[in-house]
Amino acid sequence: MFSARERFLDTNENTGQVQTHSNLKYRFRLNFYDTPPIEDITIEEFETCALDRLRVLAEIESSFARNRPYDELKTITLAQCQKYLPLHSSSAITVDTDAERRKDHIGHFVLRLAFCRSEELRRRFVKAETALFRIRYESDDREERGKFLGSRDFDWIKVSDGERKVYKEQLAAAAPTAKEVNVDNENYYKVKWTRVPDLVEKRRVFLKGGYAYVPSREQSSIVFQEFQTSLTKALEMTAKALPRLDEDTRIVPILNNLSQGFLAGVSSEWSTASSTEGDGITADMVEDLARRHFPACMRNLQETMRRDRHLKHFGRWQYGLFLKASRWVLGLPIEEAIAFWRKSFSNIQEDKFNKEYRYNIRHLYGLEGKRANYPAKSCTQILTTDQPGSSDSHGCPYRHFSADNLQTALLSMYSSQGLTAADLPEIMNTVKAGHYHVACTRVFEITHASRGVKKGEGVGDGESVTHPNQYAARSRELERGKAEAAKAEADGDVVMG
Amino acid sequence: MSITEDTESPSPELMLAFYRRLYPFRSIFGWLNHEHAPTRLFTHREFSFTLQGDIYLRYHSFNTADDLKKQVCSLNPTRFEIGPVYSARPRDKKTVRPAAFTPTLRELVFDIDMTDYDTIRTCCSGADICARCWVFIAAAVRVLDEGIREQFGYKHLLWVYSGRRGIHLWISDREAMELTDEQRRALVGWMTVIQGGKEMHKKVNVRTGSRPLPPSLQTALNSLAEVFGELILTDQDCFASREGWEALLRLIPDTGIVKELREKWDTGPHRSSSEKWEDLKDQGRKYKGTPRRTALQTAMEDIILQYTYPRLDAEVSKHRNHLLKAPFCIHPKTGRVCVPVDPNRIDDFRPERVPTVGQLLRELDEIATTDQAEGAEHHSDWEKTSLKPYVEALDKHVMALMEETRRAKRKTDLTW
Ligand code: SF4
Ligand SMILES: [Zn+2]
């Protein structure tokens, strides 16, 4: 058991008291996260709360990167929240709303620790969190939202009737459309203009003496801005306090993992998402499967191996674990794996293979060495660890290939599945912006258009690629789905087959 | 007549004498520091220097006004610029973590330059400026000064002539100093009306549909309508040439009206700008009570804004880390001092009457020959020259700023 209690207290001066209201510990669904959680948290909770939240935030991030319109972002995020981070209104009786809110609360604060450590991380975290807050705010029950707003001092001054009359004309002229003008029936709030820069920039308020007169219909702007500002400040403070945290060897690796995942735009260890079906893949099937379903990183390894009849160490690990993790996805059992590698390394003498590589493969499967169950590498790991040297073939082509090599490779790998040169500029722009997994997702969409995948749908529900196994699994599922369309439709949820 | 003719590019010797004897370092220190004892506002402030041969030195910082003076005199730059207050001393930049070196505070600054009016003014172009085109700047100053004070509530505005063809505004209110880049962008967005490059004919797009102007622009329009009449229609006679009137017609959305007016002006090419503007108004009267009139009215308002509203160099204002030439520097081409300008008397300001560095030093020489006995005390030499009223203007500005700082301190003392 690990208690994160003192840690949180250390890193935030705002160590408020626990408030107990009615039966619920968390009165509101929405949270401004003014106070950190102060109960004991197990290390497992610490990690799962954070991971689940990260999935949601990472999806928001990649939605920004893909320039999704806000409505789409909202739909996708709500679906993601439903899956990983449900948060019901207080009126929901069949759910443990306290547990949900606690998870929300803890997850937020753990991620603060992970993301406070550089300006860039802070900026991206604040942006994603603010979007999440906004989406929840807009989907909140009106009455509960009213109470939530009432529970916090937003430091806005209600404009008196007298003043409203004096500036009636200006207030009316500031409204963006004639329809919205009804100064007499509208409440206005005065706040320092610096708190609503977005409204000021678009001239959507009346401004006088440094105060913006915000109509109640734009009130949410103040709330979002406030959320953003206070989170930014809190993160800066946490960053200053953080060095003390570095002593705890148990959380630091977790935090590192989390923030790296976010940087790569990747949410989690996809491989842990379990699925039951093992469907008897044999060594002979791999090459064909690769052509139809594998992401660029794995196709590249497969092709390199075919050409060179060999793969270097990191390449073997990356590809081997991928094929193994297919226990859930493809299902390449150990005997088949050995057969597959034996066949692929056809230049290697039987002896040498048995001595060196057989052991290697069994190691990979957890049958030798320290007998660990090595999980397949996620995109994050592939993108950020064990950077390939000049003669290596592992890694992620979107990141580790030069622009011209990447374009050639993509065309040769995927033109039979519908990728054309005309698609390249968009993909290359995304790559240039550093959103490698987004580029990969786009390629997935294009190459699965014939299976009905539309732009923006990603690998299902708008999710982007976070794991090569997820890529392959979804691709196979779509293929199967074609055959059993009826079955897939009956079940709304995604079944990883 | 343009004022560039009678000016001089100052020699390094002149510059050095100016820095040694005339430059008001103490006043500048007070203005940046907001109180007498040095604070981070001064010590963590970036200064950059442009040396002869366009060598550019960045990230200098100083403890006191004297330190600054010493460095300026030893480098003898052609000019120096003032940047933001950083979270660490700029001169330590190389030794601190990059994360610990970020801009924190900075005056809100604006830059208005005559070249942005080249498509409108008919009297001069490029680097030239005359009393007639200064009227554009004067109008811009009035609108901006009033808008910032009225709408944003800032009080400590310092206008500084840029030495040739433009003007800078420095706002030192605490809140203005603290604005984030995002807030600066918002404020600039609020203030910006003229948008779009050369290829964009209609540069004013501030309405949603046919809605009235936003209230702040309505106020600006009221005062600019007058400027438009005097400056655009009469003095600059902007629509006299075919090129001028075609530019005007491009801003009228009603093709019927455009056609009619073009025929009329083609056959009577000597109609003055005022007469042409009257022709437009006549069209309005003709369509009284119809949507065509409303549309024309709207277009005419937008035209007034397009020809007279301040044209801001937005990039300068948006980022805290932008450097801007310090007041009282010498313009390297004209030799004129970048002096403070009183916005209330902006109409009387004559760029060509601003002292040049050569003139100031001649004034000093004359005094020296008349009373040699006085001798040593150099730092108040400016009092004996025509620089005096300008330094006094800055000092007055500084006093108000310091008073404000004292008041703010007293207030926090009380709240403790
Ligand atoms: S983004 Fe992930 S799945 Fe796609 S190629 Fe790169 S590592 Fe492989
Ligand atoms: Zn002129």
Side-chain angles (χ1 to χ4, degrees):
Chain A
M1 277 297 206
F2 160 73
S3 158
R5 178 177 184 150
E6 330 74 34
R7 301 299 173 187
F8 283 126
L9 293 180
D10 273 350
T11 52
N12 196 312
E13 61 161 15
N14 213 353
T15 56
Q17 56 299 58
V18 200
Q19 297 177 338
T20 36
H21 293 284
S22 71
N23 311 329
L24 283 178
K25 265 175 56 208
Y26 292 93
R27 275 174 72 208
F28 304 109
R29 178 174 167 267
L30 297 171
N31 195 336
F32 246 86
Y33 311 105
D34 290 324
T35 46
I38 53 174
E39 329 120 75
D40 288 353
I41 299 161
T42 66
I43 195 110
E44 289 78 23
E45 258 186 314
F46 187 91
E47 198 169 3
T48 45
C49 291
L51 273 175
D52 281 344
R53 190 182 198 82
L54 194 58
R55 291 170 200 262
V56 176
L57 296 185
E59 204 48 55
I60 293 176
E61 256 252 315
S62 63
S63 289
F64 285 139
R66 297 158 90 178
N67 252 331
R68 281 206 176 104
Y70 178 70
D71 284 342
E72 228 175 90
L73 164 77
K74 191 169 168 177
T75 317
I76 288 167
T77 309
L78 284 173
Q80 288 282 95
C81 283
Q82 194 57 38
K83 253 199 220 160
Y84 302 114
L85 213 57
L87 207 52
H88 287 85
S89 71
S90 302
S91 58
I93 33 172
T94 52
V95 274
D96 184 351
T97 52
D98 255 347
E100 286 179 354
R101 291 169 194 189
R102 178 180 140 89
K103 181 178 178 188
D104 176 63
H105 192 195
I106 294 172
H108 172 87
F109 273 93
V110 174
L111 292 189
R112 273 196 192 184
L113 296 178
F115 294 118
C116 65
R117 291 181 290 177
S118 81
E119 169 106 39
E120 163 76 0
L121 278 175
R122 288 199 290 270
R123 195 182 52 72
R124 292 168 67 167
F125 180 65
V126 168
K127 194 171 171 203
E129 277 281 343
T130 308
L132 176 62
F133 179 83
R134 175 173 175 192
I135 288 161
R136 286 169 162 179
Y137 181 94
E138 288 171 352
S139 62
D140 204 22
D141 175 87
R142 264 189 90 93
E143 200 179 313
E144 285 181 34
R145 185 169 70 194
K147 285 191 191 139
F148 167 72
L149 292 182
S151 72
R152 199 173 191 281
D153 183 9
F154 284 93
D155 196 20
W156 48 43
I157 309 162
K158 200 165 169 207
V159 176
S160 71
D161 289 352
E163 202 177 1
R164 201 170 50 188
K165 280 207 188 87
V166 174
Y167 297 122
K168 183 170 175 171
E169 209 177 299
Q170 287 93 326
L171 291 171
T177 66
K179 243 187 279 151
E180 292 177 44
V181 188
N182 196 341
V183 176
D184 295 323
N185 294 339
E186 180 91 76
N187 280 323
Y188 286 86
Y189 299 87
K190 270 198 277 193
V191 291
K192 279 308 255 176
W193 79 267
T194 45
R195 292 179 51 195
V196 283
D198 52 331
L199 296 181
V200 170
E201 184 162 13
K202 297 187 207 107
R203 293 201 197 90
R204 295 201 15 198
V205 280
F206 169 57
L207 209 58
K208 191 172 167 45
Y211 283 91
Y213 288 59
V214 182
S216 52
R217 78 192 121 76
E218 305 268 27
Q219 204 183 11
S220 50
S221 255
I222 309 179
V223 178
F224 303 150
Q225 190 65 40
E226 183 74 13
F227 183 91
Q228 187 181 331
T229 316
S230 58
L231 180 54
T232 308
K233 279 199 199 122
L235 282 179
E236 278 162 14
M237 273 167 39
T238 312
K240 283 191 191 128
L242 201 65
R244 270 175 283 163
L245 195 81
D246 284 346
E247 296 150 21
D248 197 307
T249 50
R250 281 165 305 177
I251 21 181
V252 170
I254 300 179
L255 295 179
N256 284 340
N257 247 332
L258 289 172
S259 53
Q260 262 185 11
F262 199 58
L263 268 185
V266 166
S267 54
S268 62
E269 294 298 295
W270 186 84
S271 59
T272 53
S274 59
S275 172
T276 43
E277 215 172 315
D279 55 355
I281 301 263
T282 60
D284 295 336
M285 296 159 70
V286 173
E287 198 166 347
D288 177 53
L289 283 171
R291 214 167 293 127
R292 294 202 322 247
H293 302 298
F294 291 2
C297 50
M298 302 305 168
R299 293 237 9 212
N300 177 52
L301 288 169
Q302 173 66 36
E303 252 133 73
T304 310
M305 184 159 66
R306 235 171 67 104
R307 194 185 59 227
D308 302 347
R309 316 217 157 267
H310 188 250
L311 267 188
K312 302 187 86 176
H313 172 75
F314 284 116
R316 287 200 304 272
W317 269 94
Q318 183 174 321
Y319 199 33
L321 288 175
F322 168 79
L323 292 174
K324 179 193 88 164
S326 343
R327 190 150 61 86
W328 295 296
V329 182
L330 305 158
L332 191 66
I334 176 72
E335 315 78 54
E336 292 299 325
I338 291 174
F340 169 73
W341 291 100
R342 176 67 274 217
K343 194 175 104 201
S344 305
F345 285 16
S346 54
N347 283 348
I348 310 274
Q349 299 295 319
E350 188 69 31
D351 252 34
K352 186 172 155 104
F353 185 88
N354 282 338
K355 246 194 266 152
E356 292 173 22
Y357 299 102
R358 184 183 297 274
Y359 176 87
N360 235 231
I361 298 158
R362 290 176 53 82
H363 188 185
L364 210 90
Y365 274 72
L367 301 171
E368 302 284 354
K370 51 180 176 150
R371 296 182 176 257
N373 180 16
Y374 300 102
K377 294 195 187 248
S378 67
C379 296
T380 322
Q381 288 167 316
I382 294 173
L383 282 161
T384 58
T385 60
D386 303 327
Q387 296 299 303
S390 53
S391 63
D392 283 325
S393 331
H394 67 278
C396 169
Y398 296 98
R399 168 155 201 187
H400 299 118
F401 277 28
S402 70
D404 49 332
N405 285 347
L406 175 58
Q407 302 193 49
T408 319
L410 287 176
L411 284 177
S412 87
M413 287 177 197
Y414 293 116
S415 51
S416 61
Q417 279 150 286
L419 185 91
T420 67
D423 297 315
L424 291 177
E426 182 194 351
I427 293 164
M428 296 312 291
N429 276 337
T430 318
V431 167
K432 232 181 271 156
H435 301 296
Y436 312 108
H437 69 293
V438 174
C440 183
T441 309
R442 185 69 195 118
V443 168
F444 181 92
E445 289 167 355
I446 294 168
T447 52
H448 292 80
S450 60
R451 305 238 179 260
V453 175
K454 294 193 194 61
K455 180 164 183 175
E457 285 182 1
V459 284
D461 280 356
E463 264 186 69
S464 32
V465 177
T466 60
H467 200 293
N469 286 93
Q470 165 209 31
Y471 185 113
R474 179 65 182 160
S475 178
R476 295 195 72 212
E477 181 192 302
L478 283 166
E479 189 182 64
R480 255 194 307 254
K482 257 276 162 67
E484 319 168 30
K487 191 188 163 199
E489 246 170 50
D491 186 353
D493 228 329
V494 182
V495 183
M496 298 296 179
Chain B
M1 183 212 70
S2 109
I3 64 156
T4 39
E5 291 161 13
D6 62 340
T7 50
E8 49 207 309
S9 228
S11 68
E13 295 72 37
L14 270 184
M15 289 303 296
L16 185 58
F18 172 75
Y19 289 134
R20 283 216 179 112
R21 305 183 60 186
L22 291 170
Y23 191 91
F25 286 100
R26 275 160 211 280
S27 310
I28 291 290
F29 167 85
W31 169 62
L32 293 175
N33 192 61
H34 299 199
E35 50 191 301
H36 291 293
T39 67
R40 284 166 164 253
L41 278 180
F42 189 79
T43 59
H44 288 39
R45 175 80 73 161
E46 177 182 359
F47 288 86
S48 73
F49 300 93
T50 308
L51 309 187
Q52 302 282 341
D54 267 339
I55 296 161
Y56 194 51
L57 306 177
R58 284 200 61 182
Y59 301 117
H60 283 248
S61 60
F62 305 96
N63 291 330
T64 62
D66 287 342
D67 283 355
L68 171 63
K69 179 171 181 176
K70 238 177 263 155
Q71 180 75 306
V72 169
C73 291
S74 85
L75 291 173
N76 193 19
T78 51
R79 60 175 191 182
F80 60 96
E81 295 182 309
I82 297 171
V85 178
Y86 280 93
S87 50
R89 286 171 202 266
R91 63 172 175 219
D92 298 338
K93 180 175 188 282
K94 286 210 184 78
T95 56
V96 297
R97 281 182 301 127
F101 190 76
T102 49
T104 55
L105 299 167
R106 164 71 157 136
E107 287 80 8
L108 173 62
V109 295
F110 287 91
D111 181 7
I112 303 173
D113 195 287
M114 204 60 231
T115 39
D116 291 323
Y117 292 82
D118 276 350
T119 48
I120 315 176
R121 58 177 175 163
T122 56
C123 53
C124 324
S125 67
D128 291 346
I129 181 174
C130 71
R132 288 171 61 202
C133 40
W134 185 258
V135 181
F136 282 103
I137 302 282
V141 167
R142 272 197 310 269
V143 168
L144 209 54
D145 194 76
E146 204 183 291
I148 299 258
R149 288 177 204 268
E150 258 292 304
Q151 292 144 26
F152 292 92
Y154 297 140
K155 295 198 212 68
H156 302 282
L157 281 64
L158 183 71
W159 289 94
V160 181
Y161 175 51
S162 74
R164 182 150 69 171
R165 58 189 168 187
I167 198 158
H168 298 159
L169 168 60
W170 301 73
I171 305 173
S172 302
D173 293 67
R174 191 69 198 188
E175 182 190 284
M177 302 276 302
E178 285 170 355
L179 294 179
T180 62
D181 285 0
E182 188 197 4
Q183 290 162 337
R184 281 167 212 254
R185 189 165 14 98
L187 188 148
V188 171
W190 172 274
M191 281 291 169
T192 301
V193 168
I194 312 295
Q195 255 167 335
K198 257 210 196 101
E199 304 314 318
M200 176 83 105
H201 298 308
K202 184 161 169 50
K203 294 183 171 45
V204 175
N205 296 293
V206 291
R207 305 170 194 261
T208 18
S210 54
R211 308 249 28 238
L213 281 175
S216 59
L217 296 182
Q218 188 59 51
T219 316
L221 178 70
N222 296 342
S223 72
L224 289 173
E226 203 179 309
V227 177
F228 184 80
E230 287 170 12
L231 178 67
I232 303 300
L233 297 183
T234 313
D235 188 59
Q236 299 273 341
D237 207 358
C238 289
F239 313 133
S241 68
R242 178 177 303 272
E243 201 192 343
W245 85 61
E246 282 298 334
L248 173 65
L249 289 177
R250 276 196 292 269
L251 299 173
I252 313 283
D254 189 317
T255 48
I257 295 177
V258 169
K259 189 159 171 277
E260 202 173 313
L261 289 178
R262 182 174 287 131
E263 271 162 25
K264 181 164 189 184
W265 298 345
D266 274 343
T267 51
H270 297 299
R271 291 183 75 73
S272 72
S273 296
S274 304
E275 287 166 325
K276 291 191 179 106
W277 192 250
E278 277 307 315
D279 292 342
L280 262 177
K281 285 190 185 163
D282 282 343
Q283 293 287 336
R285 280 178 212 118
K286 205 161 92 191
Y287 296 113
K288 196 160 179 189
T290 70
R292 286 179 80 176
R293 178 191 156 105
T294 332
L296 184 62
Q297 182 101 28
T298 305
M300 288 171 75
E301 287 178 2
D302 287 357
I303 290 167
I304 296 178
L305 290 175
Q306 174 151 342
Y307 278 83
T308 55
Y309 190 89
R311 301 186 162 211
L312 306 172
D313 183 344
E315 289 315 307
V316 174
S317 312
K318 282 184 192 167
H319 307 288
R320 270 172 294 193
N321 56 5
H322 200 97
L323 293 147
L324 197 63
K325 188 165 51 163
F328 289 99
C329 275
I330 305 294
H331 193 285
K333 291 270 157 43
T334 66
R336 292 191 195 282
V337 185
C338 303
V339 293
V341 180
D342 179 355
N344 294 316
R345 295 173 48 202
I346 186 75
D347 292 313
D348 305 330
F349 182 82
R350 291 285 169 270
E352 69 273 18
R353 287 193 210 138
V354 171
T356 64
V357 59
Q359 173 196 338
L360 291 172
L361 288 163
R362 275 194 299 278
E363 288 175 21
L364 268 189
D365 283 346
E366 276 157 30
I367 299 161
T369 45
T370 49
D371 52 15
Q372 280 192 333
E374 296 267 332
E377 259 309 278
H378 274 168
H379 64 247
S380 55
D381 273 355
W382 52 261
E383 287 190 51
K384 301 166 198 152
T385 69
S386 40
L387 201 57
K388 184 171 185 226
Y390 300 108
V391 178
E392 283 173 349
L394 176 58
D395 283 341
K396 201 171 135 215
H397 180 79
V398 173
M399 255 158 57
L401 209 47
M402 290 192 169
E403 179 53 36
E404 179 86 46
T405 308
R406 268 195 294 277
R407 222 178 301 138
K409 276 196 170 169
R410 228 175 291 142
K411 215 160 127 205
T412 39
D413 284 349
L414 283 181
T415 53
W416 276 105

